[in-house]
Amino acid sequence: MSIPSSRTIHSFLDEQTRIFNDKSRKDDFMALYRQIAPGGYSLEWPANGEVFKGWDHLERMWEDGINVQSRLVSAMVANGEAATYFTHKLVQDGKTIELESIETYLFREDGSLHSRFWPQTPDL
């Protein structure tokens, strides 16, 4: 397998954000990730924390984000790796909370994808 091109990675980031914000499209979200990463998926949440492996953790992230709308503010891609800056709006107990995150995506030659998330912790 080969590492996706920078253009393909940019397209993936845009599409995953659009799909994530449409909560009726969970199957499309999962399919998009499986297409870009046929070799598997892993994530660190938060970064430098525990590494979760497998599609069930991506599904859990979808479920945890059911009240979140995200906006990709910036993405820098080079040599199979992307660094992104997102803003998020979380609705909780009738209040809208605005959060930010830094996320990285490492696309490997074996077809796998490893994501790392630096979420802003809300003052709740």
Side-chain angles (χ1 to χ4, degrees), residues 47 83-86 88 100-104 116-120:
T84 62
Y85 167 61
F86 281 89
H88 312 276
E100 301 171 310
S101 67
I102 300 293
E103 303 174 10
T104 63
R116 300 177 77 210
F117 296 86
W118 286 263
Q120 177 184 1

Side-chain angles (χ1 to χ4, degrees), residues 62-114:
W62 173 273
E63 297 300 327
D64 288 348
I66 201 72
N67 294 322
V68 176
Q69 291 290 300
S70 297
R71 183 173 73 91
L72 176 59
V73 176
S74 181
M76 290 144 282
V77 179
N79 301 319
E81 190 162 6
T84 62
Y85 167 61
F86 281 89
T87 58
H88 312 276
K89 290 187 179 183
L90 164 67
V91 177
Q92 186 172 7
D93 300 324
K95 289 186 347 185
T96 299
I97 301 166
E98 295 187 14
L99 303 170
E100 301 171 310
S101 67
I102 300 293
E103 303 174 10
T104 63
Y105 300 79
L106 175 60
F107 297 85
R108 297 182 171 136
E109 293 214 13
D110 66 358
S112 66
L113 169 58
H114 180 74

Side-chain angles (χ1 to χ4, degrees), residues 18-65:
R18 276 192 295 278
I19 293 173
F20 181 78
N21 288 331
D22 181 348
K23 301 309 179 190
S24 69
R25 297 186 63 194
K26 178 182 175 183
D27 291 341
D28 294 334
F29 184 79
M30 296 302 296
L32 180 69
Y33 269 82
R34 284 189 171 100
Q35 178 183 11
I36 196 89
Y41 179 73
S42 60
L43 74 142
E44 293 174 40
W45 185 284
N48 299 317
E50 187 173 352
V51 176
F52 300 96
K53 294 181 180 180
W55 299 113
D56 54 326
H57 295 290
L58 185 63
E59 287 190 40
R60 190 185 85 210
M61 187 174 66
W62 173 273
E63 297 300 327
D64 288 348

